[in-house]
């Protein structure tokens, strides 16, 4: 990060702050705006708001969540400061937080792991649904204390009503419908809640159907992809959740069952698509108003049975399965020497397998057990927040996976056992009613995931041949062979510093967050310059010569570039900044920017890091009307890793108009929104398939949401 970037941002905010008092007027929250003074972070057991957190937290809810609805979680969140999308076309995109993704980002549903296969590959869809969510919380930086070492980069918590939290009388709910012409996309969802006395019941459901997405330039994938549409990018998905609860003044017991089915194409492969299904059971038990040292005890549990199969035409290929059992038990204790907080236990059992000709990782069972402690204390204008966690993680690998591989048939991995510890210390300093400073230091350890250690094989979705860090590539006289590594992969060790300035007043608010993350033993996929042909490793030059002589290989797994999981110390640093200014009661201006710089300490850059980004929007609200124009600039990314290519910058223009109707017992919102109005070509640098798949072209969507 260049110093001039952060200096300029701070100078601009300081200039506004100097005359803010004179500009203040009565608070006027527009209909698509969030009041961050009251937004509660459900992902934290300390029951704090966004302004009371020592680490940066963003919440997407209400009208803002409705307006940003997309088919994938990554695309829904991609315009939040510090959050980008992995973008595997419009069908499978995961969130990237401060340049970190994959197993470093924890995606949870109502506080417990989503338990899908999205952390293993970018072509795997996140098994959560945003159209029925009430809010989505993004915790930037390490959030390992509650969620485990897999959250060393951040947490995304998708919150819905499937586990009722409060009593109600009668029926409430909402219905949402949207049409988008960029893919002839139709989305319909509903959310219903009914209660009587101490009992509350919930049901929600959704259905999404899209065709192939329109793109501004031809996609260089296959013959059918050479048109104005992205071939094989359609989606057909539906699901539902059933829940119920018994809620009294001091007890809550809630249970839910959810079903998700999805079928979507892989844009980089002709006639290849994925069928996904997930069954999820979740429960929560709260005992409140207890006497004794513990004031309240909470138990969360979930069982998830996930499976997706990759098809080529009508023929089933590789099947991924993930069966997960997770429980978290924690208790709130009485105040001790001014400190209040929670202590708890966390257990997670994961049984993951990939079976088929293109399976690239062996079946593995992973068990995690942990204890954690989170404390806080108010001392005048200071709010101190401390925490610690210790966990044990064990990978039990099935070595039969390698038995049919000639050069690896005698290989045998022992179970891998890791102990990871984490701790954090933070403080929020309220300088006065408007200004606050927050500082947080976190030390976090992350055990390597099973795929990072044991992978060996073609990962078609990523377009690479993956080799885990449990192997080494040897070369002798131009012949490349594979052998088992003599040493185990080390844990990642993160030392993360966060500094945040916040200003909150009636007419405007602003925040600037600076972060510096030193990661020891950083795990990354290093392109080796080799390709795989018939299971053998050869140089790219040798492969090109063979193609020139004999033509392209028939097998789609031949010629894939070989990547090897390696470790090296890395440094990531950058900023996020936001400004929301009410110029008048009717006119509001928003601006945001984020930047991440990621370098390997031995030289070179971390792969697939998003570039600097700046966005600005103007909102005008009068009576029942609300309109908005937004411009987002993604800079060129030229700070690239070995064997990466530069990605050109691009600017996206969007606009929307909302009309609000108050129909006695129903509130209705009708909106019209246009995205990429200039039909600009955009390539996502963090995407594995950015050279083949551009962002979607000009689109117009029409939506309606009715709440009653």
């Amino acid at each position: 990060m260049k110093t001039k970037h952060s200096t300029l941002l701070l100078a601009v905010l300081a200039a506004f702050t100097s005359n803010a008092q004179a500009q203040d007027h009565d608070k006027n929250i527009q209909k698509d705006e969030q009041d961050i003074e009251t937004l509660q972070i459900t992902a934290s057991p300390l029951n704090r708001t966004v302004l009371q957190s020592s680490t940066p937290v963003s919440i997407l809810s209400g009208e803002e969540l409705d307006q940003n609805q997309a088919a994938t979680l990554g695309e829904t969140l991609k315009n939040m400061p510090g959050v980008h999308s992995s973008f595997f076309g419009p069908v499978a995109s995961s969130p990237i937080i401060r340049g970190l993704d994959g197993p470093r980002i924890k995606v949870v549903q109502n506080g417990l792991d989503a338990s899908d296969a999205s952390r293993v590959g970018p072509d795997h869809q996140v098994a959560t649904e945003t159209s029925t969510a009430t809010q989505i919380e993004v915790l930037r930086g390490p959030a390992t204390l509650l969620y485990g070492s897999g959250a060393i980069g951040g947490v995304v918590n998708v919150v819905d009503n499937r586990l009722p939290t409060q009593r109600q009388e009668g029926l409430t709910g909402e219905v949402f419908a949207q049409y988008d012409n960029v893919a002839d996309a139709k989305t319909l969802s509903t959310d219903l809640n009914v209660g009587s006395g101490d009992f509350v019941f919930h049901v929600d459901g959704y259905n999404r159907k899209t065709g192939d997405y329109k793109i501004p330039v031809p996609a260089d994938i296959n013959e059918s992809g050479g048109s104005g549409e992205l071939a094989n990018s359609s989606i057909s998905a539906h699901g539902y959740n059933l829940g119920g609860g018994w809620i009294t003044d001091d007890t809550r017991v809630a249970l839910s069952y959810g079903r998700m089915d999805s079928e979507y194409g892989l844009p980089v492969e002709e006639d290849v698509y994925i069928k996904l299904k997930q069954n999820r059971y979740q429960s929560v038990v709260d005992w409140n108003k207890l006497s004794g040292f513990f004031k309240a005890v909470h138990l969360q549990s979930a069982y998830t049975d996930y499976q997706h199969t990759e098809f080529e035409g009508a023929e089933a290929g590789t099947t991924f399965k993930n069966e997960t059992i997770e429980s978290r038990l924690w208790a709130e204790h009485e105040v001790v020497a001014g400190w209040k907080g929670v202590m708890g236990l966390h257990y997670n059992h994961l049984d993951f397998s990939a079976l088929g000709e293109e399976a690239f990782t062996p079946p593995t069972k992973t068990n995690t057990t942990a204890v954690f402690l989170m404390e806080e204390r108010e001392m005048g204008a200071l709010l101190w927040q401390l925490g610690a966690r210790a966990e044990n993680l064990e990978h039990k690998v099935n070595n039969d996976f390698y038995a049919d591989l000639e050069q690896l048939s005698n290989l045998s991995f022992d179970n891998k056992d890791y102990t990871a510890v984490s701790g954090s210390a933070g403080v929020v300093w309220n300088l006065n009613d408007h200004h606050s400073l927050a500082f947080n230091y976190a030390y976090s350890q992350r055990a390597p995931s099973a795929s990072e250690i044991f992978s060996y094989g073609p990962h078609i979705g990523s377009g690479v041949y993956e080799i885990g860090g449990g192997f080494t590539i040897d070369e002798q006289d131009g012949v490349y062979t594979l052998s088992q590594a003599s040493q185990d992969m080390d844990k990642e060790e993160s030392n993360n510093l966060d500094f945040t300035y916040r200003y909150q007043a009636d007419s405007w608010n602003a925040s600037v967050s600076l972060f510096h993350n030193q990661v020891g033993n950083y795990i990354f996929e290093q392109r080796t310059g080799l390709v795989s042909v018939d299971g053998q490793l050869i140089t790219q030059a040798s492969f090109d010569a063979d193609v020139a002589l004999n033509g392209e290989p028939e097998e789609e797994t031949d010629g894939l570039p070989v990547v090897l999981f390696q470790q090296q110390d890395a440094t990531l640093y950058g900023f996020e900044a936001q400004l929301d200014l009410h110029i008048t009661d009717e006119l509001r201006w928003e601006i945001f920017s984020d930047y991440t710089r990621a370098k390997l300490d031995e030289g070179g850059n971390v792969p697939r890091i998003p570039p600097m980004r700046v966005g600005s929007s103007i909102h005008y609200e009068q009576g029942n009307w609300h309109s908005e124009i937004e411009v987002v600039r993604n800079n060129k990314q030229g700070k690239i890793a070995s064997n990466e290519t530069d990605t050109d910058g691009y600017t996206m223009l969007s606009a929307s108009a909302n009309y609000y109707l108050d129909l006695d017992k129903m509130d209705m919102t009708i909106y019209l929104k246009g995205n990429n109005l200039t039909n600009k070509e955009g390539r996502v640098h963090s995407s594995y398939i950015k050279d083949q798949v551009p962002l979607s072209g000009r689109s117009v969507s029409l939506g309606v949401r009715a709440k009653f």
Side-chain angles (χ1 to χ4, degrees):
M1 179 184 63
K2 297 181 179 178
T3 304
K4 64 181 181 180
H5 291 148
S6 56
T7 302
L8 177 60
L9 286 166
L10 290 171
V12 170
L13 289 174
F16 275 113
T17 305
S18 63
N19 61 5
Q21 302 293 343
Q23 296 178 358
D24 281 355
H25 53 75
D26 291 337
K27 195 166 191 175
N28 177 39
I29 302 294
Q30 292 190 348
K31 293 182 176 64
D32 72 332
E33 188 179 3
Q34 302 177 84
D35 186 357
I36 63 174
E37 292 184 69
T38 60
L39 282 176
Q40 199 84 20
I41 308 169
T42 68
S44 170
L46 297 177
N47 298 316
R48 289 297 184 179
T49 67
V50 171
L51 293 176
Q52 296 169 326
S53 173
S54 61
T55 57
V57 180
S58 295
I59 296 179
L60 192 64
S61 64
E63 296 288 343
E64 189 175 12
L65 175 57
D66 296 345
Q67 291 279 30
N68 286 278
Q69 285 292 336
T72 64
L73 181 62
E75 291 299 287
T76 299
L77 301 178
K78 69 178 183 179
N79 281 339
M80 296 180 74
V83 183
H84 291 253
S85 170
S86 62
F87 191 70
F88 197 87
V91 297
S93 295
S94 297
I96 298 174
I97 302 176
R98 292 178 169 179
L100 300 177
D101 64 347
R104 297 183 185 89
I105 302 299
K106 200 78 162 181
V107 178
V108 297
Q109 183 86 48
N110 296 307
L112 295 178
D113 199 330
S115 301
D116 49 38
S118 64
R119 307 299 87 197
V120 176
D123 55 323
H124 303 159
Q125 193 178 75
V126 180
T128 61
E129 177 56 36
T130 61
S131 67
T132 55
T134 56
Q135 67 182 42
I136 304 175
E137 304 162 355
V138 177
L139 284 66
R140 305 183 193 90
T144 60
L145 301 178
L146 195 64
Y147 296 99
S149 63
I152 197 172
V155 168
V156 176
N157 184 29
V158 181
V159 183
D160 59 24
N161 288 321
R162 71 178 70 183
L163 294 168
T165 59
Q166 59 186 10
R167 287 176 288 188
Q168 70 172 64
E169 292 295 329
L171 176 69
T172 61
E174 61 180 62
V175 177
F176 169 74
Q178 178 180 276
Y179 174 78
D180 194 325
N181 75 331
V182 76
D184 191 27
K186 308 174 187 71
T187 303
L188 178 66
S189 69
T190 186
D191 184 311
L192 301 174
N193 302 278
V194 61
S196 178
D198 294 338
F199 292 93
V200 185
F201 300 95
H202 167 83
V203 59
D204 68 55
Y206 70 95
N207 187 77
R208 177 179 292 108
K209 183 77 172 179
T210 81
D212 289 340
Y213 277 59
K214 296 182 178 67
I215 49 179
V217 294
D220 184 20
I221 301 174
N222 45 46
E223 291 183 5
S224 59
S227 66
E229 293 183 348
L230 180 59
N232 209 28
S233 64
S234 61
I235 303 171
S236 178
H238 58 273
Y240 62 89
N241 295 290
L242 305 173
W246 175 64
I247 304 172
T248 69
D249 291 340
D250 50 18
T251 306
R252 175 172 74 120
V253 179
L255 304 170
S256 70
Y257 165 72
R259 171 75 181 194
M260 172 178 287
D261 291 273
S262 180
E263 182 177 317
Y264 60 95
L266 294 183
V268 294
E269 296 294 325
E270 184 83 52
D271 200 28
V272 176
Y273 62 97
I274 287 177
K275 282 189 175 181
L276 177 158
K277 62 180 180 181
Q278 183 193 70
N279 292 291
R280 182 177 176 90
Y281 303 84
Q282 199 162 345
S283 67
V284 62
V285 182
D286 298 325
W287 295 276
N288 300 307
K289 300 180 180 179
L290 299 179
S291 58
F293 180 70
F294 292 114
K295 300 189 301 180
V297 176
H298 311 275
L299 175 63
Q300 288 178 300
S301 299
Y303 168 74
T304 307
D305 184 8
Y306 169 94
Q307 175 179 310
H308 84 244
T309 302
E310 298 175 356
F311 287 83
E312 186 167 359
E315 184 179 350
T318 305
T319 295
F320 292 81
K321 296 182 179 181
N322 190 6
E323 188 175 7
T324 305
I325 300 172
E326 183 178 12
S327 288
R328 184 184 294 113
L329 173 69
W330 78 95
E332 304 172 37
H333 65 74
E334 289 286 359
V335 177
V336 178
W339 292 89
K340 63 178 182 178
V342 301
M343 56 185 66
L345 306 172
H346 187 197
Y347 171 77
N348 194 8
H349 169 79
L350 185 152
D351 188 351
F352 181 85
S353 64
L355 304 174
E357 291 184 1
E358 296 175 0
F360 58 90
T361 185
T364 309
K365 294 181 180 180
T366 301
N367 293 306
T368 305
T369 55
V371 295
F372 61 87
L373 176 71
M374 301 176 70
E375 300 289 329
E376 67 176 22
R377 181 180 181 181
E378 291 189 65
M379 301 174 63
L382 301 177
L383 174 61
W384 292 93
Q385 297 173 340
L386 305 175
R389 179 187 177 98
E391 74 176 28
N392 177 261
L393 180 145
E394 183 183 35
H395 295 304
K396 297 180 178 180
V397 61
N398 185 342
N399 287 295
D400 292 343
F401 173 82
Y402 305 106
D404 296 330
L405 304 173
E406 182 177 348
Q407 60 173 315
L408 301 178
S409 57
N410 295 323
L411 179 145
S412 181
F413 282 106
D414 295 330
N415 294 339
K416 303 299 181 183
D417 191 279
Y418 295 92
T419 298
V421 296
S422 304
S424 69
V427 61
V428 180
W429 181 15
N430 293 303
L431 303 174
N432 55 39
D433 290 341
H434 298 295
H435 303 267
S436 68
L437 298 175
F439 173 83
N440 193 77
Y441 165 74
Y443 172 78
S444 307
Q445 293 182 327
R446 181 180 78 88
S449 68
S451 62
E452 290 171 328
I453 302 173
F454 306 120
S455 289
Y456 179 80
H459 193 167
I460 301 301
S462 301
V464 296
Y465 197 92
E466 284 191 2
I467 299 178
F471 302 91
T472 57
I473 298 176
D474 305 307
E475 185 269 333
Q476 186 174 2
D477 299 329
V479 177
Y480 296 88
T481 58
L482 208 63
S483 61
Q484 189 170 345
S486 58
Q487 292 184 333
D488 290 340
M489 295 187 75
D490 292 324
K491 295 174 293 188
E492 287 185 340
E493 296 187 355
S494 167
N495 287 277
N496 188 86
L497 292 172
D498 261 295
F499 174 80
T500 302
Y501 164 75
R502 299 182 180 112
Y503 181 84
Q504 183 73 16
D506 288 341
S507 62
W508 69 285
N509 62 76
S511 68
V512 176
S513 294
L514 308 175
F515 68 91
H516 186 280
N517 193 4
Q518 182 69 45
V519 185
N521 304 315
Y522 182 85
I523 301 171
F524 63 101
E525 293 176 282
Q526 177 66 58
R527 288 182 177 259
T528 62
L530 304 175
V531 298
S532 172
V533 177
D534 232 1
Q536 302 298 313
L537 307 182
I538 65 174
T539 64
Q540 183 70 54
S542 297
F543 176 74
D544 292 341
D546 186 62
V547 169
L549 184 64
N550 301 309
E552 293 287 344
E554 294 184 5
E555 295 293 330
E556 62 180 351
T557 57
D558 286 344
L560 292 177
V562 175
V563 297
L564 177 66
F565 282 95
Q566 295 186 345
Q567 292 190 276
Q568 189 183 137
D569 293 350
T571 302
L572 298 89
Y573 56 88
F575 69 82
E576 297 111 19
Q578 277 183 293
L579 171 68
D580 189 332
L581 173 64
H582 284 256
I583 300 172
T584 67
D585 285 345
E586 296 79 21
L587 190 63
R588 181 166 66 91
W589 175 47
E590 279 189 293
I591 186 170
F592 80 91
S593 181
D594 56 36
Y595 176 76
T596 298
R597 182 76 173 96
K599 300 185 293 185
L600 298 171
D601 288 3
E602 295 179 15
N605 299 306
V606 175
R608 299 185 302 103
I609 297 299
M612 184 176 176
R613 180 176 59 172
V614 179
S616 181
S617 59
I618 293 291
H619 304 250
Y620 183 78
E621 187 168 288
Q622 181 69 50
N624 291 341
W625 286 96
H626 181 97
S627 58
E628 173 186 345
I629 298 176
E630 181 180 51
V631 178
V632 178
R633 172 66 184 176
N634 289 266
N635 285 358
K636 175 181 178 179
Q637 180 56 289
K639 297 180 174 64
I640 56 176
S642 300
N643 300 304
E644 271 194 319
T645 58
D646 291 353
T647 302
D648 292 336
Y650 56 93
T651 301
M652 291 294 181
L653 173 66
S654 63
S656 65
N658 295 7
Y659 186 72
Y660 302 94
L661 286 169
D662 184 358
L663 302 176
D664 191 23
K665 295 183 179 181
M666 177 183 296
D667 294 326
M668 182 176 292
T669 304
I670 303 171
Y671 67 85
L672 184 69
K673 184 173 183 177
N675 288 313
N676 193 10
L677 293 176
T678 58
N679 207 36
K680 182 73 174 178
E681 176 186 359
R683 306 275 178 172
V684 179
H685 183 76
S686 53
S687 172
Y688 280 89
I689 55 174
K690 60 129 177 170
D691 293 327
Q692 293 82 27
V693 177
L695 290 168
S696 60
R698 181 187 297 112
S699 72
V700 177
S701 59
L702 176 66
V704 59
R705 185 178 293 272
K707 298 182 180 182
F708 53 89

